[in-house]
């Protein structure tokens, strides 16, 4: 497993890879969710590149950039047994050279949900992912359904900018009690960790309603809000029952829908989602 930081080293190492390349972009502090993406990339490509970069431009000024958990040695030891060819750990100076002023923006899809709560977030995400795609030239790139809107936005960007690659979206990996794995789960104390299951519980309750025949988007949103309100350590930021493709809120569910939410558990902001239909 080659570990490279500079663009020159990345390019030299990339040129030595013959055949198909799968890219797994991450911000590190890896968990089983990330590793599931790496395993799928390993199964589907001749070579696998994992990038580890805590991208400053996707964090808002009041967000957790400076506290974001980092442990490169641990990450590398998790990746070594998985047959990863290369780990790219660029510095912020490599990705954003002095005087930087070039951005990639996806329009309508980034307006609701995470985009509404985190102004500028997706501009940071699409810009860095476009730069990772340019530098690593992958045939396939792997993202998690955990960040459903991110996956949709990157799919859109890939088509719109004619990137010659396939975006692969992998299922959300969860802890035994249903909590979606996230690097941010590290912030939770014991009581908060228990309370954090409210995201999964409320998504399940909403899905039960749907499976019982309910198609009224407002009733489904109300069910999720009700469960979150019952959890004293939880503070809802948004709940959504939206069209799967446009991400617009639904009055009536007809085709595929995305249930999603952002909830503060104490100071920690968690997101989760289910797909219906
Ligand atoms: P991050 O390091 O948080 O930027 O995540 C890197 C990639 O891993 C993104 O495509 C995420 O959607 C994906 N990911 C994060 N958590 C999970 C999870 N629990 N299950 C599957 N994929 C995940």
């Amino acid at each position: 497993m080659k570990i490279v930081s500079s663009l020159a080293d990345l390019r030299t190492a990339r040129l030595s890879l013959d055949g198909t390349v799968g890219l797994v972009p991450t911000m590190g502090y890896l968990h089983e969710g990330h590793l599931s993406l790496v395993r799928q990339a390993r199964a589907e490509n001749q070579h696998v590149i994992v990038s580890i970069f805590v991208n400053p431009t996707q964090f808002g000024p009041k967000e957790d950039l400076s506290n974001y958990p980092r442990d490169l040695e641990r990450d590398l030891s998790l990746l070594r047994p998985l047959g990863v060819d290369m780990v790219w750990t660029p510095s912020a100076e490599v990705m954003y050279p002095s005087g930087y002023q070039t951005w990639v923006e996806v329009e309508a899809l980034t307006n609701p949900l995470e985009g509404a709560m985190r102004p500028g977030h997706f501009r940071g995400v699409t810009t860095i992912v476009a730069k990772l795609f340019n530098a690593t030239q992958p045939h396939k790139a792997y993202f998690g359904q955990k960040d459903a809107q991110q996956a949709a936005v990157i799919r859109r960007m890939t088509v719109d900018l004619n990137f010659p690659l396939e975006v692969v979206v992998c299922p959300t990996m969860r802890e035994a009690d249903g909590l979606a794995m996230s690097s941010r789960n590290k912030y939770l104390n014991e009581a908060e960790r228990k309370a954090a299951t409210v995201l999964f519980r409320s998504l399940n309750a909403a899905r039960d309603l749907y499976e019982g025949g309910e198609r009224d988007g407002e009733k489904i949103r109300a069910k999720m809000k009700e469960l979150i309100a019952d959890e004293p350590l939880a503070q809802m930021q948004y709940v959504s029952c939206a069209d799967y493709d446009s991400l617009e809120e639904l009055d009536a569910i007809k085709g595929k829908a995305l249930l999603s939410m952002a909830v503060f558990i104490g100071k920690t902001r968690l997101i989760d989602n289910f797909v219906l239909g």
Side-chain angles (χ1 to χ4, degrees):
M1 190 169 80
K2 214 175 171 81
I3 297 145
V4 294
S5 290
S6 75
L7 259 179
D9 288 348
L10 183 267
R11 290 200 176 114
T12 306
R14 175 64 184 88
L15 282 173
S16 75
L17 300 180
D18 252 343
T20 57
V21 170
L23 170 69
V24 183
T26 82
M27 299 204 300
Y29 210 73
L30 304 180
H31 51 65
E32 210 34 59
H34 300 110
L35 302 186
S36 71
L37 270 51
V38 174
R39 287 194 193 95
Q40 188 159 340
R42 179 65 285 168
E44 296 180 355
N45 302 276
Q46 282 160 299
H47 302 286
V48 176
I49 303 177
V50 175
S51 63
I52 300 180
F53 179 59
V54 182
N55 175 34
T57 65
Q58 71 189 65
F59 287 77
K62 293 192 181 131
E63 294 182 1
D64 57 343
L65 173 62
S66 58
N67 296 333
Y68 196 83
R70 295 163 169 88
D71 190 344
L72 182 60
E73 283 315 308
R74 178 174 163 278
D75 290 346
L76 297 176
S77 66
L78 289 169
L79 292 174
R80 263 187 208 99
L82 302 186
V84 170
D85 296 78
M86 200 196 309
V87 179
W88 185 27
T89 61
S91 65
E93 292 69 32
V94 166
M95 299 319 279
Y96 298 104
S98 155
Y100 193 85
Q101 48 184 298
T102 305
W103 302 95
V104 176
E105 285 198 63
V106 171
E107 295 185 344
L109 263 184
T110 64
N111 288 334
L113 308 174
E114 290 299 287
M117 298 299 147
R118 306 183 67 189
H121 169 67
F122 284 119
R123 181 176 91 142
V125 169
T126 43
T127 298
I128 196 65
V129 171
K131 290 164 67 72
L132 296 172
F133 285 178
N134 279 334
T136 61
Q137 304 275 306
H139 298 82
K140 295 188 179 194
Y142 294 80
F143 296 89
Q145 179 61 29
K146 160 85 188 336
D147 298 282
Q149 188 177 13
Q150 170 174 281
V153 166
I154 287 168
R155 241 198 244 110
R156 183 75 255 161
M157 175 191 81
T158 301
V159 172
D160 290 356
L161 293 184
N162 310 118
F163 280 112
L165 62 89
E166 182 188 340
V167 172
V168 181
V169 181
C170 305
T172 301
M173 301 299 284
R174 298 178 180 282
E175 304 288 354
D177 62 5
L179 176 65
M181 292 182 179
S182 165
S183 307
R184 292 190 167 97
N185 293 347
K186 178 190 159 63
Y187 300 142
L188 303 170
N189 67 29
E190 203 180 325
E192 290 170 343
R193 173 63 188 79
K194 283 200 187 107
T197 58
V198 72
L199 286 86
F200 183 67
R201 286 188 276 118
S202 51
L203 287 166
N204 268 306
R207 183 166 58 192
D208 287 349
L209 271 187
Y210 173 83
E211 284 175 354
E214 184 60 73
R215 292 295 181 272
D216 181 332
E218 194 47 43
K219 288 197 176 136
I220 288 186
R221 286 185 289 271
K223 179 50 120 184
M224 295 189 281
K225 286 180 191 167
E226 181 190 313
L227 267 83
I228 296 164
D230 277 349
E231 174 50 68
L233 296 180
Q235 181 70 46
M236 181 195 91
Q237 193 178 43
Y238 68 80
V239 302
S240 164
C241 172
D243 178 77
Y244 180 80
D245 293 310
S246 71
L247 303 182
E248 284 165 15
E249 288 306 314
L250 290 170
D251 295 326
I253 304 178
K254 294 199 180 82
K256 222 169 157 184
L258 180 72
L259 298 181
S260 66
M261 58 179 60
V263 178
F264 278 96
I265 304 291
K267 290 198 165 73
T268 304
R269 184 177 184 278
L270 300 178
I271 59 171
D272 201 352
N273 69 85
F274 278 6
V275 178
L276 300 179

